[in-house]
Amino acid sequence: MSTATFDAIVVGAGSVGTPTAMYLAERGLKILVVDQFPSPGQGSNKCAIGGIRATHSAPAKIRLCLESLATFSSWEHLHGDDIEWHMGGYCFVAYRDDEERLLRDLLKVQKSYGLNIDWYGAAELLERVPSLGHEGLRGGTLSPEDGSASPMRSCLAFYRRARALGVTFRFSERVTGLIRRRSQIVGVRTDKGGYASETVINAAGAWARSVAQAGGLDTPVVPDCHEAGITEPAARFLEPMVVDIRPTAGARNYYFCQLAGGQVIFCITPDPALVGSDRRETSAFLPMIARRMVNLMPRLANLRVRRTWRGLYPMTPDGAPVVGRSQVLSGYVHAEGMCGQGFMLGPGVGALVARLVTGALEPADEAVLAELAPTRAFGGAEALK
Amino acid sequence: MSDFRITEHPILVVPDVPRFSFSWSGQELSARQGETIAAALFANGVRVFGHHTKDGAPQGIFCANGQCAQCTVIADGLAVKSCMVPVTPGMRVEPLDAAPSLPEAGGALQYHAIDTIEVECLVLGGGPAGLSAAVELGRAGVSVVILDDKERLGGKLVLQTHKFFGSIEACHAGTRGIDIAAKLEAEVRSYENVRVWTDSVALAVFSDRKVGVLRQGHYVIVQPQVLLVATGARERSLVFRGNTLPGVYGAGAFQTLVNRDLVRPSARLFVVGGGNVGLIAAYHALQAGIQVVGLCEALPDCGGYKVHKDKLVRMGVPIYTSHTVVSANGEEEVTSVTIAAIDSAWKPIEGTEKTFACDTVLVAVGLDPVDEFHRKAKEFGLPALAAGDAEEIAEASAAMFTGKIRGLEIARMLGRDVGEVPPEWHKTAEVLKSRPGATVTEEIPDDEQGVFPVFHCSQEIPCNPCTSICPKHAIRIEGDDILGLPTFVEEDCIACEQCVAVCPGLAITLVDFRSDRESAIVTLPYEFTRATINEGDLVTVLDTEGKVLGNVPVVKVRAPKFADHALLVKVRAPREIAKLAAGIRVQEPWVGEPLEEKVERVADDQVVCRCERVTAGEIRAHIRAGVRDLNELKALTRAGMGACGGKTCPTLIRRLFLEEGVSPGEITELTQRPLVMEVTLGAFAGVITGEGPAKDVPRTHAVAVHEGGV
């Protein structure tokens, strides 16, 4: 029995793997995508809330997300699928000294990268986000060019385009091993067979570490759990993603935005982190986040919650993604550890990996790859053993 | 606007309730205190509650049970399910025609802590199964919280104006469902260790083995040692053109409007489905003074009890077996229905279409268990049992009995010394769940003298109250098998007529030749208002199968107390037909006449997902393109993503896969996520509304949570 051969194999058909496959196919490569779930985006993509911003503080993420933003914002115009892109901006609010100082410090860095973001005093901010609780509001940052889109619809749009470009997808198939010849990767073994390729890209998100370990490698990606929810739709009353970074018992921050369809979607960052991959819903989430949301924006008290769920953040020790060629196994490419930002980073990372694999890197890519290198020191920890 | 209320009912007492006004789209209307917004609107002739934002399709009720969200309206600025929220004086109700605008919070908010309440057993659902279980648990001294989403306990029993089948000892056979509910409730409330939470709905079972409950508008978390899921069933929908037009709704919804809310929501209706639910709904319609134009059933025979079907046929309702509904027709509301005969592949046969003018099409095509809490509890390792329809769809009589068994089983699990569940209980439970058995040829006795009962009961169903009620013990079933058919075994009938009155199928008559051997006095049960029948009237009598026997005079009408609101009508019938006469026609034949021209609905609006208005055509296209994961289908179409929480459409979608030749094994099921019901962020935040969170009425002595067992 002959083994099917591909120019590259992408492990994972989620937020990162799907656009990666699409960009590789755009460059004329014959691509296979293998995913353990039965259809695209069934890992963490469907659990993402859909926020997309370039207003980070690390230059690599800024560059990648600017590229992503360009993809999301022009997608419907170029390809016709409605991915529910809404350019509502991001708003980080400050009600105390600590947050005001932190945000203003961050702003200097963000400004230095040329990002469209500004500080607004309480009165100005309320003009733009009128539903915010007035009492004690100091102000906040607002970045109007950020926004949101539907993770599922986007993933399916990338999937459709990838298929149209000839990408082969194998679902409900788990990678059980990486086949190597000396220090060169030559294919993957799955629970249903094997495929040959001299390029394999790990875009397996929260499951990236088990894929690496199946090949005798490792990557410092450990998932933790985040719960999210969505409400019924309402007529638009909120433009930006609102982020409240005041730490409180049980949580570091929480954030919410109103989607193109009118629903409010919300998520909380537990503190301490809930390390693991338990995707089952808990009773603690709703009372915790609802109290904070209603406190911040009393109007939300009347909005009905429709559904809640739990998703996984593939975390790295330093909170930055791992992207680049392996130094120990030739042909093996990391596109993992997105730390909960796989959806907004996905198209940017996918395009970068496509350039990397086809030898078409641009000058600015080098710095990004250096910052996200698998070989970097992760807070003293060694990336690859 | 005219008043579509029931002012007189053969069985139900119409109470005198204070009225007040509310407004609909700025127009002042009258409501009865305590009724839901949906009932008040229907009572005023309003049944288009809004238009869908996606395609402008008119929206009305479907389930009237809080399960779907099609009846959503804007009440005092907030989107609410009109079938669950009571109308209040001066309430401003508006149709939902676009995404509702979110009002500002009024004033400073006050919060309560979200309590976690520990209890030995939490019973979800105060219907026949839950109440019966709570009685056993109460007796065993278990600390119980039983909750129900309605204001009143009883579940669907409160809609059951007919007398029950089964046996008197096991499940109150011969008593009306509404009265059984009252009996069970009184018993449950007599136990100090059982706390009853009405207007309370379970929202989710979480992985930390806690149950989120919205109790009278305030959120509370319950941590039970054992969960009993007695949440009943939800009505299935059916895919046909025009299937979401206002006027197309569930038979259960109809019974809610008519029997609970005392609203007459229709003048002429058609029933789709010949199971017990459809047959009984048609009968309830006739009792409420509504014309029943017809009933269609896809199978060659009705699946419900034959006595229910016979009753309808005798009253003049045409039944079309091997027929299906093709379309509900109309622009904003139903104005007619088109049906057709079907071939062996279930496809409508062209040229056999018939259209009937009607304003309502009742969908009664079966029930699905509300079993998601049970599945989640098992997944999360919370000890849980299910009872009644939540476990297996069957009659309410079976639900009461399985509830009783589960109650005892849970008491044992919790370490109570209640002994084993008697083996005969399990046997009775199985018998009560029996599907209708063989139909035999009706046996008409040879006698033409004296007085004796005649049984127009020719199908094996679990029912025997006639054998218990006869004071002479002269009615017996061979081998005392509840599934067997009754026979009259002795000659000393005292003509007490109690068997005629108790028979839930209205299938026993008393034939009396004592005064005249050529024309007997026949006593027939009759459950319509007293005003519709009088001594001296000529009435048409029919045999069991609905064949007209002739017109005979009414000689006496009685309403004895033991008949419990039914009338016992004596007619004088010639010898040849006396023993055959099984019922009196109440609906004239012209009512069931089809229109001369058939109406064809052009729009291909066969809606599968009501919330997001996804059609069968869209879903079929995705299936043909290779989609096999319901989660992917959801992402592609939004089917299952709407306000109802994906409760109605998965059954329909699975059926489409089957029709497209995809076997169930190839399909990935929809991931079920909380919540079962949409609830405000305010409730989860602990915002205090109205009088604040409900407190349990202090009992004389608290019941300690028992430690042993689980």
Side-chain angles (χ1 to χ4, degrees), chain B residues 144-194:
Chain B
V144 175
V145 166
I146 177 169
L147 58 83
D148 196 275
D149 61 347
K150 308 294 188 306
E151 299 264 323
R152 191 171 150 194
L153 287 180
K156 294 292 169 282
L157 288 174
V158 305
L159 314 180
Q160 310 299 349
T161 54
H162 54 278
K163 292 175 181 173
F164 264 51
F165 292 79
S167 68
I168 290 175
E169 322 79 67
C171 56
H172 312 274
T175 305
R176 298 182 194 283
I178 35 175
D179 300 322
I180 298 172
K183 281 184 190 176
L184 288 173
E185 174 170 0
E187 203 173 342
V188 163
R189 288 192 188 272
S190 74
Y191 293 107
E192 288 179 356
N193 47 318
V194 178

Short mmCIF file of all heavy atoms in Angstrom, two decimals, chain B residues 144-194:
data_model
loop_
_atom_site.label_atom_id
_atom_site.label_comp_id
_atom_site.label_asym_id
_atom_site.label_seq_id
_atom_site.Cartn_x
_atom_site.Cartn_y
_atom_site.Cartn_z
N VAL B 144 -36.35 16.69 51.13
CA VAL B 144 -36.59 16.80 49.69
C VAL B 144 -36.89 18.25 49.33
O VAL B 144 -37.56 18.96 50.07
CB VAL B 144 -37.81 15.94 49.28
CG1 VAL B 144 -38.15 16.13 47.81
CG2 VAL B 144 -37.57 14.47 49.58
N VAL B 145 -36.36 18.68 48.19
CA VAL B 145 -36.90 19.87 47.53
C VAL B 145 -37.49 19.38 46.21
O VAL B 145 -36.82 18.71 45.44
CB VAL B 145 -35.81 20.94 47.26
CG1 VAL B 145 -36.34 21.99 46.28
CG2 VAL B 145 -35.36 21.59 48.56
N ILE B 146 -38.76 19.68 45.98
CA ILE B 146 -39.38 19.37 44.69
C ILE B 146 -39.72 20.69 44.04
O ILE B 146 -40.33 21.57 44.66
CB ILE B 146 -40.61 18.44 44.84
CG1 ILE B 146 -41.26 18.21 43.46
CG2 ILE B 146 -41.62 18.94 45.86
CD1 ILE B 146 -42.32 17.10 43.45
N LEU B 147 -39.27 20.87 42.81
CA LEU B 147 -39.54 22.15 42.16
C LEU B 147 -40.27 21.96 40.85
O LEU B 147 -40.21 20.89 40.21
CB LEU B 147 -38.23 22.92 41.95
CG LEU B 147 -37.10 22.29 41.14
CD1 LEU B 147 -37.32 22.50 39.66
CD2 LEU B 147 -35.79 22.94 41.56
N ASP B 148 -40.99 23.00 40.47
CA ASP B 148 -41.72 22.98 39.21
C ASP B 148 -41.73 24.38 38.64
O ASP B 148 -41.80 25.36 39.37
CB ASP B 148 -43.15 22.48 39.43
CG ASP B 148 -43.80 22.10 38.11
OD1 ASP B 148 -44.35 22.98 37.42
OD2 ASP B 148 -43.72 20.91 37.75
N ASP B 149 -41.65 24.45 37.30
CA ASP B 149 -41.55 25.77 36.68
C ASP B 149 -42.89 26.51 36.62
O ASP B 149 -42.92 27.69 36.28
CB ASP B 149 -40.91 25.68 35.28
CG ASP B 149 -41.71 24.82 34.31
OD1 ASP B 149 -42.62 24.11 34.75
OD2 ASP B 149 -41.41 24.87 33.10
N LYS B 150 -43.98 25.83 36.95
CA LYS B 150 -45.28 26.49 36.90
C LYS B 150 -45.68 27.01 38.29
O LYS B 150 -45.05 26.68 39.29
CB LYS B 150 -46.35 25.51 36.40
CG LYS B 150 -46.01 24.81 35.09
CD LYS B 150 -45.95 25.77 33.93
CE LYS B 150 -45.81 25.07 32.59
NZ LYS B 150 -44.66 24.13 32.52
N GLU B 151 -46.75 27.80 38.31
CA GLU B 151 -47.26 28.34 39.57
C GLU B 151 -47.96 27.24 40.36
O GLU B 151 -48.11 27.33 41.57
CB GLU B 151 -48.31 29.42 39.27
CG GLU B 151 -47.78 30.61 38.49
CD GLU B 151 -47.39 31.74 39.39
OE1 GLU B 151 -48.08 31.94 40.39
OE2 GLU B 151 -46.39 32.40 39.10
N ARG B 152 -48.42 26.23 39.63
CA ARG B 152 -49.29 25.23 40.23
C ARG B 152 -48.65 23.87 40.02
O ARG B 152 -48.08 23.61 38.96
CB ARG B 152 -50.60 25.33 39.45
CG ARG B 152 -51.77 24.60 39.98
CD ARG B 152 -52.97 25.06 39.16
NE ARG B 152 -53.95 23.99 39.09
CZ ARG B 152 -54.96 23.99 38.23
NH1 ARG B 152 -55.10 24.98 37.35
NH2 ARG B 152 -55.82 23.01 38.24
N LEU B 153 -48.72 23.01 41.00
CA LEU B 153 -48.17 21.65 40.86
C LEU B 153 -49.13 20.80 40.01
O LEU B 153 -50.28 21.13 39.83
CB LEU B 153 -48.00 21.00 42.23
CG LEU B 153 -46.85 21.53 43.10
CD1 LEU B 153 -46.84 20.77 44.42
CD2 LEU B 153 -45.51 21.37 42.39
N GLY B 154 -48.61 19.69 39.55
CA GLY B 154 -49.46 18.75 38.81
C GLY B 154 -48.94 18.45 37.42
O GLY B 154 -49.33 17.46 36.80
N GLY B 155 -48.08 19.33 36.90
CA GLY B 155 -47.56 19.10 35.56
C GLY B 155 -48.71 19.03 34.57
O GLY B 155 -49.67 19.81 34.65
N LYS B 156 -48.64 18.07 33.67
CA LYS B 156 -49.67 17.95 32.65
C LYS B 156 -50.99 17.40 33.20
O LYS B 156 -52.00 17.42 32.51
CB LYS B 156 -49.17 17.10 31.50
CG LYS B 156 -48.02 17.73 30.72
CD LYS B 156 -48.49 18.97 29.96
CE LYS B 156 -47.32 19.76 29.42
NZ LYS B 156 -46.66 20.57 30.48
N LEU B 157 -50.96 16.90 34.45
CA LEU B 157 -52.22 16.42 35.03
C LEU B 157 -53.27 17.53 35.06
O LEU B 157 -54.45 17.27 34.91
CB LEU B 157 -52.00 15.90 36.46
CG LEU B 157 -51.25 14.58 36.63
CD1 LEU B 157 -51.00 14.32 38.10
CD2 LEU B 157 -52.04 13.43 36.02
N VAL B 158 -52.81 18.77 35.25
CA VAL B 158 -53.79 19.86 35.37
C VAL B 158 -54.47 20.16 34.03
O VAL B 158 -55.41 20.93 33.99
CB VAL B 158 -53.18 21.15 35.96
CG1 VAL B 158 -52.51 20.87 37.30
CG2 VAL B 158 -52.18 21.79 35.01
N LEU B 159 -53.97 19.56 32.96
CA LEU B 159 -54.64 19.75 31.66
C LEU B 159 -55.55 18.59 31.34
O LEU B 159 -56.25 18.59 30.34
CB LEU B 159 -53.59 19.86 30.53
CG LEU B 159 -52.40 20.77 30.78
CD1 LEU B 159 -51.48 20.75 29.57
CD2 LEU B 159 -52.89 22.19 31.04
N GLN B 160 -55.50 17.55 32.17
CA GLN B 160 -56.20 16.31 31.84
C GLN B 160 -57.59 16.33 32.43
O GLN B 160 -57.79 15.95 33.57
CB GLN B 160 -55.40 15.09 32.34
CG GLN B 160 -53.93 15.08 31.95
CD GLN B 160 -53.70 15.07 30.44
OE1 GLN B 160 -54.62 14.86 29.66
NE2 GLN B 160 -52.50 15.29 30.00
N THR B 161 -58.54 16.76 31.61
CA THR B 161 -59.92 16.82 32.10
C THR B 161 -60.62 15.49 31.95
O THR B 161 -61.74 15.33 32.37
CB THR B 161 -60.70 17.89 31.31
OG1 THR B 161 -60.57 17.58 29.92
CG2 THR B 161 -60.16 19.27 31.56
N HIS B 162 -59.94 14.53 31.30
CA HIS B 162 -60.58 13.22 31.09
C HIS B 162 -60.22 12.29 32.25
O HIS B 162 -59.27 12.51 32.98
CB HIS B 162 -60.12 12.62 29.77
CG HIS B 162 -58.64 12.53 29.65
ND1 HIS B 162 -57.88 13.60 29.27
CD2 HIS B 162 -57.78 11.53 29.92
CE1 HIS B 162 -56.60 13.25 29.29
NE2 HIS B 162 -56.52 12.00 29.68
N LYS B 163 -60.97 11.21 32.33
CA LYS B 163 -60.73 10.23 33.39
C LYS B 163 -59.58 9.32 32.99
O LYS B 163 -59.40 9.02 31.82
CB LYS B 163 -62.01 9.43 33.63
CG LYS B 163 -63.11 10.29 34.24
CD LYS B 163 -64.40 9.53 34.37
CE LYS B 163 -65.47 10.45 34.96
NZ LYS B 163 -66.79 9.80 34.96
N PHE B 164 -58.87 8.87 34.02
CA PHE B 164 -57.66 8.10 33.76
C PHE B 164 -57.90 6.62 33.54
O PHE B 164 -58.83 6.04 34.07
CB PHE B 164 -56.67 8.30 34.92
CG PHE B 164 -55.69 9.38 34.61
CD1 PHE B 164 -56.13 10.61 34.19
CD2 PHE B 164 -54.32 9.16 34.70
CE1 PHE B 164 -55.24 11.62 33.87
CE2 PHE B 164 -53.42 10.16 34.38
CZ PHE B 164 -53.88 11.39 33.97
N PHE B 165 -57.01 6.07 32.74
CA PHE B 165 -56.99 4.63 32.53
C PHE B 165 -56.15 4.02 33.65
O PHE B 165 -55.73 4.69 34.58
CB PHE B 165 -56.39 4.32 31.16
CG PHE B 165 -57.27 4.78 30.04
CD1 PHE B 165 -57.32 6.12 29.66
CD2 PHE B 165 -58.08 3.88 29.39
CE1 PHE B 165 -58.15 6.53 28.64
CE2 PHE B 165 -58.91 4.30 28.36
CZ PHE B 165 -58.94 5.63 27.98
N GLY B 166 -55.88 2.73 33.52
CA GLY B 166 -55.09 2.05 34.54
C GLY B 166 -56.02 1.40 35.55
O GLY B 166 -57.15 1.03 35.21
N SER B 167 -55.51 1.30 36.80
CA SER B 167 -56.35 0.70 37.83
C SER B 167 -56.54 1.71 38.96
O SER B 167 -55.72 2.61 39.15
CB SER B 167 -55.71 -0.58 38.36
OG SER B 167 -54.53 -0.25 39.07
N ILE B 168 -57.63 1.53 39.69
CA ILE B 168 -57.95 2.50 40.74
C ILE B 168 -56.86 2.50 41.81
O ILE B 168 -56.42 3.56 42.26
CB ILE B 168 -59.34 2.17 41.34
CG1 ILE B 168 -60.42 2.50 40.30
CG2 ILE B 168 -59.58 2.94 42.64
CD1 ILE B 168 -61.83 2.12 40.68
N GLU B 169 -56.36 1.31 42.19
CA GLU B 169 -55.37 1.24 43.27
C GLU B 169 -54.03 1.85 42.84
O GLU B 169 -53.40 2.59 43.59
CB GLU B 169 -55.07 -0.20 43.71
CG GLU B 169 -56.24 -1.17 43.76
CD GLU B 169 -56.62 -1.69 42.39
OE1 GLU B 169 -55.81 -2.43 41.80
OE2 GLU B 169 -57.69 -1.34 41.88
N ALA B 170 -53.59 1.55 41.62
CA ALA B 170 -52.24 1.96 41.22
C ALA B 170 -52.18 3.42 40.83
O ALA B 170 -51.19 4.10 41.08
CB ALA B 170 -51.75 1.09 40.08
N CYS B 171 -53.21 3.93 40.18
CA CYS B 171 -53.06 5.27 39.60
C CYS B 171 -54.38 6.01 39.45
O CYS B 171 -54.55 6.78 38.51
CB CYS B 171 -52.33 5.17 38.27
SG CYS B 171 -53.15 4.06 37.13
N HIS B 172 -55.28 5.81 40.39
CA HIS B 172 -56.51 6.59 40.41
C HIS B 172 -57.32 6.48 39.12
O HIS B 172 -57.88 7.47 38.65
CB HIS B 172 -56.23 8.08 40.68
CG HIS B 172 -55.32 8.34 41.82
ND1 HIS B 172 -55.76 8.43 43.11
CD2 HIS B 172 -53.96 8.50 41.88
CE1 HIS B 172 -54.74 8.66 43.92
NE2 HIS B 172 -53.63 8.70 43.20
N ALA B 173 -57.38 5.31 38.52
CA ALA B 173 -58.13 5.18 37.27
C ALA B 173 -59.57 5.60 37.49
O ALA B 173 -60.13 5.41 38.57
CB ALA B 173 -58.07 3.74 36.77
N GLY B 174 -60.16 6.19 36.45
CA GLY B 174 -61.54 6.64 36.53
C GLY B 174 -61.68 8.02 37.15
O GLY B 174 -62.74 8.62 37.11
N THR B 175 -60.56 8.54 37.70
CA THR B 175 -60.57 9.90 38.24
C THR B 175 -59.94 10.81 37.19
O THR B 175 -59.08 10.38 36.43
CB THR B 175 -59.75 9.96 39.54
OG1 THR B 175 -60.27 8.97 40.43
CG2 THR B 175 -59.81 11.32 40.18
N ARG B 176 -60.39 12.07 37.15
CA ARG B 176 -59.83 12.99 36.16
C ARG B 176 -58.43 13.45 36.59
O ARG B 176 -58.18 13.63 37.78
CB ARG B 176 -60.75 14.20 36.00
CG ARG B 176 -62.12 13.82 35.49
CD ARG B 176 -63.03 15.01 35.28
NE ARG B 176 -64.41 14.55 35.12
CZ ARG B 176 -64.90 14.02 34.01
NH1 ARG B 176 -64.12 13.89 32.95
NH2 ARG B 176 -66.15 13.61 33.93
N GLY B 177 -57.58 13.70 35.61
CA GLY B 177 -56.20 14.11 35.90
C GLY B 177 -56.13 15.31 36.82
O GLY B 177 -55.32 15.35 37.75
N ILE B 178 -56.99 16.30 36.58
CA ILE B 178 -56.95 17.52 37.40
C ILE B 178 -57.19 17.20 38.87
O ILE B 178 -56.60 17.79 39.76
CB ILE B 178 -58.02 18.57 36.94
CG1 ILE B 178 -59.30 17.86 36.46
CG2 ILE B 178 -57.47 19.48 35.88
CD1 ILE B 178 -60.42 18.81 36.12
N ASP B 179 -58.05 16.21 39.13
CA ASP B 179 -58.35 15.86 40.52
C ASP B 179 -57.23 15.02 41.13
O ASP B 179 -56.95 15.11 42.32
CB ASP B 179 -59.68 15.11 40.59
CG ASP B 179 -60.82 15.96 40.04
OD1 ASP B 179 -60.81 17.18 40.30
OD2 ASP B 179 -61.69 15.43 39.34
N ILE B 180 -56.56 14.22 40.28
CA ILE B 180 -55.43 13.43 40.77
C ILE B 180 -54.32 14.39 41.21
O ILE B 180 -53.69 14.21 42.25
CB ILE B 180 -54.90 12.48 39.68
CG1 ILE B 180 -55.99 11.48 39.26
CG2 ILE B 180 -53.67 11.73 40.16
CD1 ILE B 180 -55.64 10.62 38.07
N ALA B 181 -54.10 15.44 40.42
CA ALA B 181 -53.06 16.42 40.75
C ALA B 181 -53.31 17.00 42.13
O ALA B 181 -52.40 17.11 42.96
CB ALA B 181 -53.04 17.53 39.70
N ALA B 182 -54.55 17.35 42.40
CA ALA B 182 -54.89 17.96 43.69
C ALA B 182 -54.63 16.98 44.83
O ALA B 182 -54.10 17.34 45.88
CB ALA B 182 -56.35 18.41 43.68
N LYS B 183 -55.00 15.71 44.60
CA LYS B 183 -54.78 14.70 45.64
C LYS B 183 -53.30 14.53 45.95
O LYS B 183 -52.89 14.48 47.10
CB LYS B 183 -55.32 13.34 45.17
CG LYS B 183 -56.81 13.18 45.28
CD LYS B 183 -57.20 11.76 44.87
CE LYS B 183 -58.72 11.68 44.74
NZ LYS B 183 -59.17 10.37 44.26
N LEU B 184 -52.51 14.41 44.89
CA LEU B 184 -51.07 14.21 45.07
C LEU B 184 -50.43 15.41 45.74
O LEU B 184 -49.58 15.28 46.63
CB LEU B 184 -50.39 13.92 43.72
CG LEU B 184 -50.66 12.56 43.09
CD1 LEU B 184 -50.06 12.50 41.69
CD2 LEU B 184 -50.09 11.43 43.95
N GLU B 185 -50.85 16.60 45.31
CA GLU B 185 -50.26 17.80 45.89
C GLU B 185 -50.56 17.87 47.39
O GLU B 185 -49.67 18.16 48.20
CB GLU B 185 -50.79 19.07 45.19
CG GLU B 185 -50.30 20.32 45.91
CD GLU B 185 -50.56 21.62 45.16
OE1 GLU B 185 -51.13 21.57 44.06
OE2 GLU B 185 -50.16 22.66 45.69
N ALA B 186 -51.79 17.58 47.75
CA ALA B 186 -52.15 17.64 49.17
C ALA B 186 -51.29 16.67 49.97
O ALA B 186 -50.81 16.99 51.06
CB ALA B 186 -53.63 17.30 49.34
N GLU B 187 -51.05 15.51 49.40
CA GLU B 187 -50.26 14.51 50.13
C GLU B 187 -48.80 14.97 50.26
O GLU B 187 -48.21 14.88 51.33
CB GLU B 187 -50.35 13.17 49.42
CG GLU B 187 -50.05 12.03 50.38
CD GLU B 187 -50.27 10.66 49.79
OE1 GLU B 187 -50.97 10.55 48.75
OE2 GLU B 187 -49.72 9.70 50.37
N VAL B 188 -48.26 15.50 49.16
CA VAL B 188 -46.87 15.97 49.20
C VAL B 188 -46.72 17.08 50.23
O VAL B 188 -45.77 17.09 51.01
CB VAL B 188 -46.43 16.47 47.79
CG1 VAL B 188 -45.19 17.32 47.89
CG2 VAL B 188 -46.19 15.28 46.87
N ARG B 189 -47.66 17.99 50.24
CA ARG B 189 -47.56 19.13 51.16
C ARG B 189 -47.77 18.73 52.61
O ARG B 189 -47.51 19.51 53.52
CB ARG B 189 -48.54 20.22 50.75
CG ARG B 189 -48.12 20.95 49.46
CD ARG B 189 -48.95 22.21 49.25
NE ARG B 189 -48.70 22.82 47.95
CZ ARG B 189 -47.74 23.71 47.71
NH1 ARG B 189 -46.93 24.09 48.68
NH2 ARG B 189 -47.60 24.23 46.50
N SER B 190 -48.25 17.52 52.87
CA SER B 190 -48.46 17.09 54.25
C SER B 190 -47.16 16.66 54.92
O SER B 190 -47.11 16.48 56.12
CB SER B 190 -49.47 15.94 54.29
OG SER B 190 -48.87 14.74 53.81
N TYR B 191 -46.09 16.50 54.14
CA TYR B 191 -44.82 16.08 54.74
C TYR B 191 -43.94 17.29 55.03
O TYR B 191 -43.62 18.06 54.13
CB TYR B 191 -44.07 15.12 53.80
CG TYR B 191 -44.79 13.81 53.63
CD1 TYR B 191 -45.45 13.51 52.45
CD2 TYR B 191 -44.83 12.89 54.68
CE1 TYR B 191 -46.13 12.31 52.30
CE2 TYR B 191 -45.51 11.69 54.54
CZ TYR B 191 -46.17 11.41 53.35
OH TYR B 191 -46.84 10.24 53.21
N GLU B 192 -43.55 17.42 56.31
CA GLU B 192 -42.74 18.57 56.69
C GLU B 192 -41.36 18.54 56.05
O GLU B 192 -40.73 19.57 55.86
CB GLU B 192 -42.55 18.57 58.21
CG GLU B 192 -43.80 18.93 58.95
CD GLU B 192 -43.58 18.89 60.45
OE1 GLU B 192 -42.47 18.51 60.87
OE2 GLU B 192 -44.51 19.25 61.17
N ASN B 193 -40.89 17.34 55.74
CA ASN B 193 -39.54 17.22 55.19
C ASN B 193 -39.49 17.43 53.68
O ASN B 193 -38.44 17.31 53.08
CB ASN B 193 -38.96 15.84 55.55
CG ASN B 193 -39.92 14.71 55.28
OD1 ASN B 193 -41.11 14.83 55.56
ND2 ASN B 193 -39.44 13.63 54.73
N VAL B 194 -40.62 17.74 53.08
CA VAL B 194 -40.63 18.00 51.63
C VAL B 194 -40.91 19.49 51.41
O VAL B 194 -41.96 20.00 51.83
CB VAL B 194 -41.71 17.15 50.92
CG1 VAL B 194 -41.72 17.48 49.42
CG2 VAL B 194 -41.46 15.67 51.14
#
